[in-house]
Amino acid sequence: MRKWRRRTGHICQSVCCSENVNLIVLGDYKALSCAGADWFEEGIREKPDAAIVPATGDTPMGLYRELAERHSRGLIDTSQLCIFQLDAYLGLAQDDRRSLFGWMHRVFIEPLGIAESNVVRLAGDVLDPWEACRVYEAAVRAAGGFDLSVLGLGPNGHLGFNEPPSPPDAPTRIVDLTPESIVSNARYWGGEEHVPRHALTCGMDLLLAARRTLLVVSGTHKHEILHRAIEGPQTPAVPASYLQSASHVTVLADQAAWQGR
Ligand code: F6R
């Protein structure tokens, strides 16, 4: 933590450390993004061929920009990393700009110079998407599970598209999006009516087995769900609450998310 303070020049505060979850509150989004990049850099320095599952969504974008910047300065080596897609809309082609694969490609794969051969898709645009889920699971298991997982917190407590209710052993699967996720994703689609109703998601079982997890949470609108996720009961109604029993979880929240103002 001291290292983060020095690098970012922003105040950070370790609020509570349970056995599994280390919550760190940072002054603002910029500080959160730098701290997230530090976490990531440390993880891949320890394991240069790490298997990584990175979320899309707004929150990790600053972190990815920071990583891209460090990569362009030659500070981090990404050549051996293996990247797994976290989730996908059902039926959307991978080259569709709205696809989550396309998004991950633009903000993470390309800027970090990851080789295509080191990227594992969760394919939502194939004839048999259930089979695609099984193929994906097999690939994660063949890699020995995830070393690093970078997640955002859904407004309804989802992780990936593990919508509530999702038990901790929920597998990689096709899910129906909840009305809350449809509303929250409407901004990317030009209105709720355009948001796909179904998606594929990496399962809770694989996410909770990751060796290290980073959950990034920003903004006052995440205040209540953040507290429910890390302090509330572990329940399928808040899938992120199961991170309380995962190993080596770091939660980076900005003051706005932690204090609600
Ligand atoms: C994105 C994803 C979602 C988001 C979550 C938070 O791949 O799987 O779970 O991480 O909805 O999104 P933001 O960061 O936009 O608030």
Side-chain angles (χ1 to χ4, degrees):
M1 206 177 77
R2 212 173 293 133
K3 183 172 60 176
W4 292 344
R5 186 177 288 142
R6 194 175 63 236
R7 281 197 186 177
T8 64
H10 288 270
I11 298 163
C12 65
Q13 175 195 358
S14 185
V15 171
C16 75
C17 294
S18 73
E19 204 179 311
N20 301 322
V21 179
N22 186 17
L23 165 70
I24 296 165
V25 179
L26 294 123
D28 57 21
Y29 179 71
K30 168 98 180 107
L32 180 155
S33 300
C34 288
D38 288 349
W39 177 93
F40 191 98
E41 192 180 326
E42 200 173 301
I44 64 171
R45 190 161 292 134
E46 243 171 54
K47 193 160 191 298
D49 61 348
I52 302 176
V53 60
T56 54
D58 287 337
T59 318
M61 293 304 120
L63 188 172
Y64 298 159
R65 279 193 294 273
E66 177 66 28
L67 284 179
E69 213 263 321
R70 292 182 193 187
H71 180 254
S72 72
R73 286 195 282 142
L75 299 176
I76 54 176
D77 175 14
T78 57
S79 60
Q80 297 175 66
L81 301 180
C82 186
I83 308 303
F84 291 79
Q85 184 177 353
L86 173 62
D87 43 15
Y89 289 113
L90 183 65
L92 213 63
Q94 67 165 330
D95 57 358
D96 189 309
R97 270 193 73 78
R98 299 165 304 175
S99 85
L100 297 180
F101 182 82
W103 190 354
M104 179 179 78
H105 214 275
R106 287 190 298 280
V107 300
F108 193 92
I109 306 288
E110 273 172 28
L112 289 182
I114 311 278
E116 295 291 336
S117 52
N118 288 358
V119 179
V120 177
R121 278 187 73 205
L122 179 55
D125 58 345
V126 292
L127 271 181
D128 187 349
W130 281 107
E131 174 60 14
C133 292
R134 303 290 79 84
V135 168
Y136 176 91
E137 280 181 328
V140 177
R141 297 198 197 286
F146 298 130
D147 295 300
L148 304 176
S149 159
V150 178
L151 300 175
L153 177 62
N156 57 1
H158 72 208
L159 293 178
F161 272 134
N162 287 285
E163 298 280 61
S166 284
D169 59 355
T172 299
R173 66 203 185 285
I174 300 172
V175 293
D176 298 335
L177 297 195
T178 58
E180 220 170 346
S181 288
I182 292 169
V183 169
S184 130
N185 287 343
R187 62 192 192 275
Y188 307 125
W189 291 82
E192 276 173 46
E193 65 279 18
H194 303 301
V195 182
R197 270 29 188 180
H198 309 284
L200 280 67
T201 186
C202 173
M204 292 291 288
D205 53 354
L206 297 178
L207 292 178
L208 295 174
R211 281 177 201 87
R212 284 172 199 270
T213 299
L214 179 70
L215 182 73
V216 284
V217 191
S218 171
T220 52
H221 63 298
K222 294 284 178 73
H223 174 67
E224 194 200 327
I225 193 66
L226 169 61
H227 283 264
R228 287 177 68 196
I230 63 173
E231 297 173 331
Q234 296 182 45
T235 162
V238 182
S241 64
Y242 290 113
L243 289 174
Q244 293 174 37
S245 358
S247 64
H248 298 105
V249 176
T250 299
V251 179
L252 297 179
D254 58 15
Q255 295 277 5
W258 181 243
Q259 293 181 343
R261 59 191 153 81

